[in-house]
Amino acid sequence: MNVRMLLLALLLMASPALAQGFAGLGGDAQGFAVPERGVALSFPQDHGAHPDYRIEWWYLTANLKGADGKDYGAQWTLFRSALAPEEKSGWQSPQLWMGHAALTTAETHYSAERVARGGVGQAGVTLSPFVGSIDDWTMTSHAPPSADALSALNVNASGDGFSYRLDLAAQGPLVLQGDHGYSVKSAQGQASFYYSQPFYEVHGTITVGGKDIAVTGQAWFDHEWSSQPLAKDQTGWDWFSFHFADGAKLMGFRLRDAGEGFTSATWIAADGAPEPQPPGALTVTPLAWTDVKGHRVPVQWKLALPGKGLEVTTSPVNPEAWMDTRVSYWEGPVRLQGTHPGQGYVEMTGY
Amino acid sequence: MLLDLEDVSKSYPTGEGVLQVLRGVSLSLDAGESLALTGESGSGKSTLLHLAGGLDRPDSGAIRFEGKDIAGLGDVELAAFRRVSVGLVFQQFNLIPSLDVAANLAFQARLGDRYDAAWSEWLTERLGLSKLLDRYPEQLSGGQQQRVAIGRALAGRPQLILADEPTGNLDEATGDAILELMLALMRETGAALLMVTHSNRLASRLGRRLHLAAGKLG
Amino acid sequence: MLTQGFAVLLSHWWRHKLQFAMLLLGLALATALWSAVQAINGEARASYARAAAVVGQDRLEQLTTADGTHIPQESYIALRKAGWLVSPVLEGEKRFGGERLRILGVDPITLPADAAQVDVGAADIGLARFITAPGVFIMSGETAARLKGVDTPPIRISDALPPGTVLTDIGIAQQVLDAPGQLSRLLLAPRQPTEARPLAEVAPGLVRRAPAVESDLSRLTDSFHLNLTAFGLLAFAVGLFIVHSAIGLAFEQRRPVIRTLRALGLPLRTLVLLMVVELLVLSTVAGLIGVALGYGVASLLLPDVAASLRGLYGAEVPGTLSIRPSVWGLGLAIAVAGTLVSAASRLWRIATMPLLAPARPRAWSLASERALRLQAVGGILLLVAAWLVVQFGSGLVAGFSALGAMLLGAALLLPLVLSLLLKLGERLSKGVIAQWFWADTRQQLPGLSLALMALLLALAANAGVGTMVQSFRLTFVGWLDQRLPSELYVSTRSNDESQKVHDWLASRSDAVLPIWNTEVRMFGQPVQVFGIADHATYRDYWPMLEAMPDAWDRIARGEGALANEQLARRQKLALGDMIPLEGGHKLPLVGIFSDYGNPKGQVIIGVRLLETLYPDASRLRYAVRIAHDKAPKLAEELRATFDLPEENVVNQTTIKDFSLKIFERTFAVTAALNVLTLGVAAIAIFASLLTLSGMRLSQLAPAWAMGLTLKRLALLEILRSVALASFTMLAAVPVGLGLAWMLLAVINVEAFGWRLPMHVFPMDWLRLFLLAVASAIIAALLPALWLTRRQPADLVKVFANER
């Protein structure tokens, strides 16, 4: 999920105070650790932070159905970015943290952003128990000691006009992306460590405009860390994570550049077995556009993966799911029609 | 001989060059004598009067007062000469505006330390100024002002009175009265009078007359 | 027609070049002093605004502890964890190589956008460098220049910061200020999320404070700037006297020309319009010159002003001037407006003058006694008004209004007073020349009265301000002796060291008196609370203005409090009133003491009570009593034993010298403005004498013809100027005393909160008198010199129009 690395880079670049931390992003790893093939991921340690890598995130998206029968979406993200490949206590820590949270209803898209320094306890990820947090936003494990820490999570966040408290229970295993978690991103050999937990069943409560609504649904979690940047000519990306009704999942993205762009996808069987698809196998086509806060964004897509007999079209729960954060982007829940009905999340940047 | 001018010349620088005002003028005046100096505008008659009164110095020639050449005197001596020996009466009266009539009348006499209270009182009476003593010049008519000027000129009993168109700013009747008064006073005090006028009528009232044309006596 | 009419009007100035120069000079000088003061004030105010805007204090709500003590960092984290969007700030002072810097530590990550005036992410700073050791000190260029060669973290320049202020990372600030885990306040982001837990629950010790729209600094320094403004206005008024008189003369002299122009067919409306245009052109030129001059004056004065403000209020103002278009635009505008106002009456007279009115150039100088009397009545009314304002008004503006009314009233009264004095001189004099001298001087009075009024204002201001400053100085020196009776004053660096130093000193000195203090907000203003021990030093010396007989006993028992004069005056406190202290504790006021030079309110209680009520109070300072001759040795040993820096152990003399130095610099600006105002007045006289000298000839010529030499006349002219200046000085003494009284008893009380006894310094007046005479001689010298150079031909012209 290299695209999100770029997202983070762009987000942080846009904030003057934060930009300097990424001044070296166009160059090499500059003393930071680099993902290497064949290094086995080890849990629960690798659920935690990797301060010697430049960049890392814990990313959760949830498609929810309210007791009122309406569709909702929730996003919870914790980014970590290191100015130096080390951790120190107190204000001297070179680790920076950023959180994004969003709640999407058919009418309104709520979003919020939090930033923090490492070292002083305002934000970070601990392992026993597993807690990722920034300010009052937390992602806390309540899994039994024998189970994977991520198999049961409480997640909450709040912002201007919204909040949510979700209880997540994993119905399948962790999915290691790429080569046992070593995920190659480009022909130049850039790579990350990357695993997902796409099998969450969700129960919880969302609060919108002071009103509590009980919700249930599905959620998808990613954890990825790396030190290497992306190409400079890429103008943005479109990213898709789909839960199909038959239990299978799809992660796919298109990187846009001056030319044809680059697509990539991973098919995840209902039992959690990942099937990486060759580059270009996935085709994505925008079908309808809309104007959101001065940006023209495709809000209906046709995705086709012939190898799996897949052809679906997306329709957004709320076409105006715009993240009003330092760098703004579109991220929201979608419904799927076609060969594989279901639901999922779409993220679009650079529009 | 009281006053004796010999071959006096005077010129002034002007915008267009040097203006030769007097060209070798000679004249003399005896004590008690009255002499009228006539001439056109610009003939130099006022300049001649100023030179005689020690207000200015000639370029060349001699000006003798009681035989003593005043043309070569310094500022201080010349001022002393004016204080003591000359009385001046001008067309514009030229009283000192900040002083009242009494102070104006006494001014020159006191400057020259020749003030005589009895004489001054007689003079004031004679000039008809007794009731105006605490007035200021601006509160007087032209004829009154000129009478003060005549009184001022005579207060120190100078031997020579120089008058420059003394009636020029007055109407004819007032002017005639003033001149009459002045001539009478000259006779009563024995002072000599040199008067500049452009009026033949007035000039004829004096003992002798000389005509100045283009800086020369005709 | 327009051009020709204009050319005729302007030709006057060509013929009267000096008059023209004086008009320009007067206006330029007036504008210069006015703009200089405005520029200085503007610079200072901008600096306060910068200081107030640093980290958004002027726009953002803040959380602080109620008593201004530090906030533990845990409270910050707890608030963030409870959903509050707050950003930490640590502020403190620290000396670097003798320069005291205000250190502002911020967290650039959480700092609200409103509060971030420096982009620490910019290439020349760099977030990584900024937040990691050794950090970066961001400061103004001027501050950086002061720190040349001093060992500090790497310095970056940003002119968004006021001088003396350093912006650095919160972590670096905690190290530099030796305050690990401590914060001064928390900035609240403008929009807070809906679900934050109540403040009282998360951080019970903290209170919300509204944005500081007006900083304490700008409030404290208001009076200082009002003082400067008043001086600027005075100088401008003095300058306008020159302008008024120069314009008046020019208009009168041009009456014949105006009459001729109208007779030749130039419509009156066009004529007046042309004259207005002429004035606009003149005043714009003069205004531009004045503004440029003002910039120079301001640049010269600013360092002293900056030093005063730093010494008096701790306010940091840069010593260099930046160009503020608003100030200079205003300067230009006021020059133009002042000219038009000065000329309005003349223009009105031209506009209403009958076509064939006689030209009366001399009438200009021959104002009637009646006019003098009328003017004097106006003056008396103003004096009465001033008295009424003093009796019944309150506030600084009322004080300055009364001051202005008094000065203007005295100025209006001056011509009549001088006229009476001259009349007296005339009556008393015997000789004819003396009589003529007085009479003629009196006749000159109307023509010179404006200049003399300007001189009166300048002299009175000098005498008054001089008396005020000297009275202040005398009181201040005596007060310093009372206030600083101890031989040594020691500042320790930590509570631990404080205890050790105390113990060490206890056995080696006669007494170790704690000077422990904290700063709180009381009556809605910052107030210092000091705790002092019960000791004879205080009972014997403390500069008490009024006190209950058992005041010290009650303080020792913790049953009474003292307040300084300014706090007592501001809050109208009387003995027996209750002083609200921490946690609802109240103490009766048992004494009021004088506390000159302190802008803040101060309350003194027993040191034991201070410890109980304010456990966080600073306990670092002591006064040490010891035999005078043993003090230096003890200081030396103390420094050696505890490795204390030189400035942490100071003796009485050093502090007194330092205080006096601050005092001197504070009034250096006042003195400079005083001298400049006097200079303007001297120029006003010079200008008036010059313009009059042309008309003088016809007045002097008769006297010359009657047998006074020109040299004598010239000498009399100088004497005349001296006499007028001397009489004006005589008149200025009572006015100056009135001014001094108002400054001491009205303005100071309003501005600073203390009232000073007035002392009189006749030797200063003598000096001023000599100065006035000297300026009169200098002003009269040139016209007199010209007079002696006159040719008889010039003089005889007066008597005849022909040769």
Side-chain angles (χ1 to χ4, degrees):
Chain A
M1 210 162 36
N2 237 343
V3 285
R4 296 201 173 172
M5 191 185 296
L6 183 61
L7 165 69
L8 180 58
L10 283 176
L11 285 175
L12 292 176
M13 286 290 220
S15 154
L18 303 174
Q20 182 61 31
F22 297 86
L25 209 62
D28 58 20
Q30 290 185 335
F32 287 94
V34 177
E36 279 175 46
R37 193 185 291 273
V39 176
L41 297 186
S42 142
F43 301 104
Q45 288 81 5
D46 279 325
H47 290 324
H50 302 81
D52 46 343
Y53 289 80
R54 192 195 297 273
I55 205 163
E56 184 165 15
W57 57 83
W58 296 257
Y59 213 120
L60 184 85
T61 50
N63 291 87
L64 303 170
K65 175 81 79 188
D68 55 5
K70 289 179 184 165
D71 285 336
Y72 298 98
Q75 178 202 345
W76 192 103
T77 316
L78 184 61
F79 296 101
R80 179 191 62 80
S81 166
L83 300 174
E86 58 181 341
E87 177 62 310
K88 287 184 181 171
S89 71
W91 295 107
Q92 273 63 49
S93 163
Q95 305 288 330
L96 306 179
W97 297 83
M98 177 164 73
H100 281 180
L103 184 70
T104 314
T105 73
E107 295 81 30
T108 315
H109 178 84
Y110 300 94
S111 64
E113 180 176 54
R114 298 294 176 89
V115 284
R117 299 265 288 271
V120 292
Q122 188 191 337
V125 176
T126 59
L127 281 179
S128 45
F130 171 86
V131 180
S133 72
I134 183 162
D135 294 344
D136 54 332
W137 303 355
T138 54
M139 173 183 276
T140 311
S141 165
H142 59 91
S146 56
D148 177 59
L150 294 183
S151 62
L153 292 176
N154 284 319
V155 175
N156 78 289
S158 64
D160 209 354
F162 78 97
S163 67
Y164 57 75
R165 295 151 300 282
L166 305 176
D167 191 1
L168 279 57
Q171 306 300 312
L174 294 177
V175 177
L176 302 182
Q177 304 276 10
D179 181 359
H180 298 90
Y182 178 80
S183 168
V184 177
K185 296 302 180 192
S186 73
Q188 286 86 10
Q190 287 150 325
S192 65
F193 287 121
Y194 180 15
Y195 67 89
S196 305
Q197 171 49 276
F199 292 108
Y200 283 119
E201 196 178 286
V202 184
H203 296 271
T205 312
I206 61 173
T207 308
V208 182
K211 214 178 81 186
D212 286 352
I213 302 162
V215 288
T216 55
Q218 290 175 297
W220 180 307
F221 171 86
D222 286 325
H223 181 198
E224 184 166 15
W225 61 99
S226 181
S227 294
Q228 291 162 310
L230 283 181
K232 280 173 187 158
D233 64 340
Q234 285 156 345
T235 56
W237 66 87
D238 311 301
W239 176 83
F240 309 89
S241 64
F242 292 159
H243 305 276
F244 299 119
D246 62 5
K249 317 278 177 185
L250 175 76
M251 186 282 291
F253 62 81
R254 178 181 73 156
L255 283 169
R256 301 194 305 278
D257 54 30
E260 282 295 292
F262 171 79
T263 64
S264 175
T266 302
W267 181 270
I268 301 166
D271 64 358
E275 295 175 39
Q277 302 299 308
L282 176 74
T283 60
V284 301
T285 317
L287 297 179
W289 300 70
T290 190
D291 285 315
V292 192
K293 302 219 172 179
H295 301 269
R296 193 162 168 74
V297 198
V299 287
Q300 267 204 309
W301 291 89
K302 190 172 83 180
L303 277 81
L305 188 59
K308 287 286 169 189
L310 174 87
E311 184 170 316
V312 290
T313 56
T314 72
S315 57
V317 171
N318 181 342
E320 310 212 330
W322 193 256
M323 293 296 287
D324 214 1
T325 41
R326 281 171 213 230
V327 154
S328 50
Y329 56 100
W330 196 103
E331 175 128 15
V334 295
R335 302 182 196 96
L336 306 174
Q337 284 97 32
T339 57
H340 293 66
Q343 58 187 358
Y345 248 78
V346 174
E347 174 182 288
M348 296 176 280
T349 72
Y351 288 99
Chain B
M1 195 175 297
L2 183 67
L3 180 69
D4 181 21
L5 274 69
E6 189 182 328
D7 198 20
V8 169
S9 293
K10 179 71 182 173
S11 60
Y12 292 106
T14 69
E16 293 102 47
V18 175
L19 178 67
Q20 193 70 38
V21 184
L22 294 176
R23 306 161 192 264
V25 175
S26 299
L27 67 80
S28 56
L29 188 68
D30 285 330
E33 193 188 1
S34 66
L35 171 64
L37 203 53
T38 57
E40 302 294 311
S41 276
S43 61
K45 50 191 194 303
S46 282
T47 301
L48 187 74
L49 192 81
H50 295 152
L51 291 175
L55 294 173
D56 208 346
R57 296 187 189 86
D59 297 344
S60 63
I63 301 174
R64 281 183 287 272
F65 186 82
E66 294 189 310
K68 191 177 159 203
D69 190 358
I70 63 164
L73 292 180
D75 282 347
V76 176
E77 291 91 348
L78 210 53
F81 164 71
R82 291 200 300 272
R83 271 202 304 272
V84 173
S85 308
V86 190
L88 294 161
V89 181
F90 301 109
Q91 179 179 357
Q92 311 278 358
F93 324 133
N94 292 100
L95 298 177
I96 293 172
S98 54
L99 297 178
D100 61 16
V101 168
N104 260 296
L105 280 171
F107 187 76
Q108 191 178 8
R110 291 179 66 185
L111 271 187
D113 205 14
R114 295 166 67 89
Y115 182 70
D116 176 338
W119 166 247
S120 199
E121 200 181 324
W122 177 84
L123 203 54
T124 308
E125 196 69 37
R126 187 72 185 76
L127 289 163
L129 294 171
S130 303
K131 289 186 176 144
L132 302 175
L133 284 178
D134 55 355
R135 297 255 188 112
Y136 281 86
E138 70 206 40
Q139 298 165 310
L140 302 179
S141 69
Q144 289 168 332
Q145 287 197 48
Q146 197 57 302
R147 278 188 277 154
V148 176
I150 293 166
R152 177 177 68 181
L154 287 167
R157 296 182 185 240
Q159 291 159 282
L160 176 62
I161 298 293
L162 299 172
D164 191 352
E165 302 275 14
T167 62
N169 259 16
L170 305 171
D171 62 72
E172 196 173 293
T174 313
D176 284 354
I178 288 286
L179 184 65
E180 215 45 61
L181 180 64
M182 196 159 77
L183 290 173
L185 278 169
M186 294 299 130
R187 284 192 296 278
E188 287 161 36
T189 60
L193 173 65
L194 176 59
M195 186 176 93
V196 162
T197 179
H198 64 277
S199 154
N200 287 326
R201 192 173 63 83
L202 291 180
S204 63
R205 310 281 295 274
L206 272 63
R208 188 155 65 96
R209 63 185 285 185
L210 285 170
H211 186 75
L212 200 59
K216 285 185 174 165
L217 286 172
Chain C
M1 183 171 72
L2 278 178
T3 11
Q4 274 178 342
F6 204 48
V8 168
L9 283 176
L10 287 183
S11 68
H12 171 83
W13 300 114
W14 182 247
R15 296 266 323 277
H16 299 83
K17 293 191 189 74
L18 252 168
Q19 201 182 341
F20 182 66
M22 283 307 130
L23 178 62
L24 283 188
L25 187 65
L27 195 52
L29 278 178
T31 314
L33 288 187
W34 164 264
S35 340
V37 166
Q38 291 307 309
I40 288 171
N41 282 347
E43 194 66 52
R45 295 229 167 87
S47 170
Y48 306 149
R50 269 205 300 275
V54 163
V55 303
Q57 298 161 100
D58 57 338
R59 274 158 294 167
L60 297 175
E61 268 194 291
Q62 302 172 37
L63 296 179
T64 60
T65 54
D67 54 4
T69 50
H70 278 157
I71 303 171
Q73 194 163 301
E74 294 77 51
S75 296
Y76 162 64
I77 299 298
L79 280 163
R80 292 290 315 199
K81 292 282 174 199
W84 286 77
L85 293 183
V86 289
S87 185
V89 176
L90 176 65
E91 182 174 354
E93 285 189 344
K94 167 99 176 170
R95 278 191 180 279
F96 281 86
E99 286 296 328
R100 194 155 72 182
L101 299 179
R102 176 182 173 220
I103 309 285
L104 263 173
V106 298
D107 172 21
I109 304 299
T110 51
L111 196 64
D114 278 346
Q117 65 266 76
V118 178
D119 174 11
V120 301
D124 67 324
I125 304 173
L127 182 64
R129 268 196 294 275
F130 188 77
I131 69 171
T132 56
V136 175
F137 270 18
I138 303 176
M139 61 184 76
S140 72
E142 187 184 323
T143 314
R146 274 198 253 152
L147 288 173
K148 202 148 267 171
V150 178
D151 187 27
T152 65
I155 288 172
R156 295 290 182 276
I157 308 296
S158 163
D159 286 322
L161 290 169
T165 296
V166 170
L167 188 73
T168 190
D169 184 63
I170 183 95
I172 305 298
Q174 286 181 343
Q175 285 174 2
V176 167
L177 296 173
D178 192 23
Q182 303 207 57
L183 306 172
S184 301
R185 54 180 184 271
L186 302 172
L187 300 171
L188 277 163
R191 278 188 78 88
Q192 294 289 326
T194 37
E195 300 209 342
R197 280 162 54 209
L199 182 62
E201 200 178 292
V202 187
L206 299 188
V207 291
R208 265 177 110 124
R209 182 167 296 163
V213 176
E214 191 188 32
S215 66
D216 285 343
L217 212 55
S218 71
R219 202 155 35 78
L220 285 172
T221 50
D222 255 0
S223 51
F224 183 86
H225 292 295
L226 192 56
N227 261 316
L228 282 185
T229 306
F231 258 106
L233 269 176
L234 180 66
F236 188 72
V238 168
L240 278 194
F241 278 117
I242 308 179
V243 176
H244 187 74
S245 97
I247 290 178
L249 180 62
F251 273 42
E252 289 300 335
Q253 285 175 335
R254 286 193 293 186
R255 270 182 186 237
V257 177
I258 289 160
R259 202 180 44 187
T260 311
L261 282 173
R262 284 187 63 194
L264 292 176
L266 194 68
L268 180 63
R269 189 184 289 258
T270 314
L271 193 64
V272 171
L273 188 76
L274 283 177
M275 299 189 92
V276 170
V277 169
E278 176 192 33
L279 287 173
L280 285 178
V281 171
L282 277 177
S283 56
T284 307
V285 171
L288 284 172
I289 299 172
V291 157
L293 269 175
Y295 185 82
V297 172
S299 312
L300 287 177
L301 291 181
L302 193 60
D304 269 344
V305 174
S308 301
L309 288 168
R310 197 176 310 146
L312 266 183
Y313 308 100
E316 286 287 351
V317 172
T320 51
L321 208 59
S322 49
I323 307 241
R324 282 169 209 293
S326 61
V327 167
W328 310 118
L330 193 67
L332 204 56
I334 201 159
V336 172
T339 310
L340 291 181
V341 167
S342 300
S345 65
R346 310 285 168 186
L347 281 172
W348 176 250
R349 249 183 269 171
I350 299 281
T352 53
M353 182 174 77
L355 176 57
L356 290 176
R360 302 175 295 133
R362 280 229 313 242
W364 177 75
S365 66
L366 287 175
S368 66
E369 291 267 309
R370 201 173 142 263
L372 282 188
R373 294 232 162 79
L374 217 64
Q375 190 181 322
V377 168
I380 288 169
L381 287 179
L382 275 173
L383 289 181
V384 170
W387 181 79
L388 287 176
V389 171
V390 168
Q391 287 300 306
F392 304 107
S394 70
L396 207 50
V397 175
F400 274 106
S401 311
L403 209 66
M406 186 193 74
L407 284 177
L408 193 59
L412 288 176
L413 209 50
L414 179 73
L416 186 69
V417 169
L418 287 181
S419 169
L420 293 175
L421 279 174
L422 292 171
K423 218 176 227 173
L424 191 70
E426 190 178 349
R427 198 151 301 161
L428 293 179
S429 58
K430 289 267 172 345
V432 58
I433 294 180
Q435 270 178 11
W436 172 71
F437 173 81
W438 293 120
D440 204 57
T441 306
R442 200 150 67 85
Q443 200 203 329
Q444 294 307 301
L445 203 51
L448 284 170
S449 68
L450 281 171
L452 290 171
M453 283 154 76
L455 182 67
L456 177 82
L457 290 185
L459 288 174
N462 263 278
V465 173
T467 303
M468 187 267 279
V469 172
Q470 293 286 53
S471 297
F472 196 174
R473 191 174 211 287
L474 205 66
T475 313
F476 190 68
V477 171
W479 171 81
L480 276 180
D481 288 339
Q482 292 181 300
R483 190 67 197 261
L484 300 169
S486 298
E487 285 73 20
L488 289 179
Y489 293 85
V490 183
S491 304
T492 59
R493 292 164 295 194
S494 66
N495 285 345
D496 186 39
E497 186 177 67
S498 172
Q499 190 56 49
K500 284 184 190 146
V501 166
H502 178 271
D503 296 345
W504 188 89
L505 279 171
S507 57
R508 291 172 176 81
S509 64
D510 301 342
V512 188
L513 309 170
I515 315 175
W516 293 351
N517 70 298
T518 187
E519 185 161 320
V520 303
R521 279 190 98 81
M522 190 188 285
F523 306 115
Q525 54 181 303
V527 171
Q528 306 159 328
V529 179
F530 275 80
I532 58 175
D534 181 24
H535 193 265
T537 303
Y538 298 116
R539 291 171 186 259
D540 294 349
Y541 291 103
W542 199 251
M544 212 72 98
L545 292 171
E546 53 176 324
M548 294 184 179
D550 57 346
W552 291 111
D553 294 331
R554 293 174 73 159
I555 295 214
R557 291 200 303 269
E559 292 166 8
L562 301 178
N564 63 358
E565 184 187 2
Q566 39 275 57
L567 182 67
R569 281 190 190 276
R570 255 178 250 154
Q571 298 311 126
K572 300 197 166 50
L573 296 175
L575 294 187
D577 287 355
M578 297 310 270
I579 306 287
L581 296 166
E582 189 67 13
H585 200 94
K586 285 186 174 163
L587 285 182
L589 182 67
V590 297
I592 296 171
F593 59 95
S594 56
D595 191 16
Y596 306 121
N598 183 0
K600 290 182 179 166
Q602 197 177 91
V603 164
I604 290 180
I605 56 176
V607 69
R608 297 287 152 249
L609 187 61
L610 182 87
E611 284 182 285
T612 318
L613 291 179
Y614 304 98
D616 294 332
S618 153
R619 304 172 192 201
L620 302 178
R621 295 174 59 224
Y622 297 97
V624 182
R625 298 307 310 269
I626 188 171
H628 203 78
D629 52 335
K630 290 185 188 154
K633 190 161 166 285
L634 183 68
E636 209 46 57
E637 285 174 13
L638 184 62
R639 283 191 201 106
T641 310
F642 292 95
D643 195 25
L644 282 169
E646 185 80 20
E647 67 262 24
N648 283 35
V649 183
V650 270
N651 62 28
Q652 196 189 57
T653 334
T654 314
I655 298 190
K656 282 184 189 167
D657 286 351
F658 179 69
S659 305
L660 274 178
K661 216 182 280 169
I662 289 176
F663 180 90
E664 302 296 354
R665 292 208 74 166
T666 301
F667 291 103
V669 183
T670 316
L673 280 175
N674 248 335
V675 169
L676 287 173
T677 310
L678 198 61
V680 174
I683 288 171
I685 297 182
F686 178 62
S688 300
L689 290 177
L690 267 189
T691 45
L692 284 176
S693 68
M695 296 157 56
R696 283 298 281 158
L697 208 57
S698 68
Q699 293 160 358
L700 293 175
W704 167 77
M706 302 296 126
L708 280 176
T709 60
L710 285 178
K711 273 201 188 95
R712 188 97 184 256
L713 286 171
L715 191 67
L716 287 173
E717 287 293 280
I718 292 175
L719 275 180
R720 197 186 319 280
S721 168
V722 169
L724 287 173
S726 307
F727 286 159
T728 306
M729 179 64 208
L730 284 184
V733 168
V735 180
L737 283 177
L739 178 68
W741 180 83
M742 284 183 118
L743 286 172
L744 290 169
V746 181
I747 304 288
N748 269 343
V749 177
E750 295 291 347
F752 303 109
W754 58 71
R755 184 176 178 152
L756 296 162
M758 185 158 119
H759 301 274
V760 173
F761 301 86
M763 283 315 284
D764 283 1
W765 300 347
L766 185 66
R767 219 178 48 223
L768 193 60
F769 179 81
L770 294 178
L771 201 63
V773 167
S775 50
I777 291 176
I778 292 168
L781 208 55
L782 192 60
L785 208 63
W786 284 348
L787 188 61
T788 62
R789 300 257 169 87
R790 287 288 190 174
Q791 293 304 308
D794 299 329
L795 289 149
V796 297
K797 259 192 241 162
V798 172
F799 306 119
N801 295 327
E802 59 163 298
R803 279 167 173 156

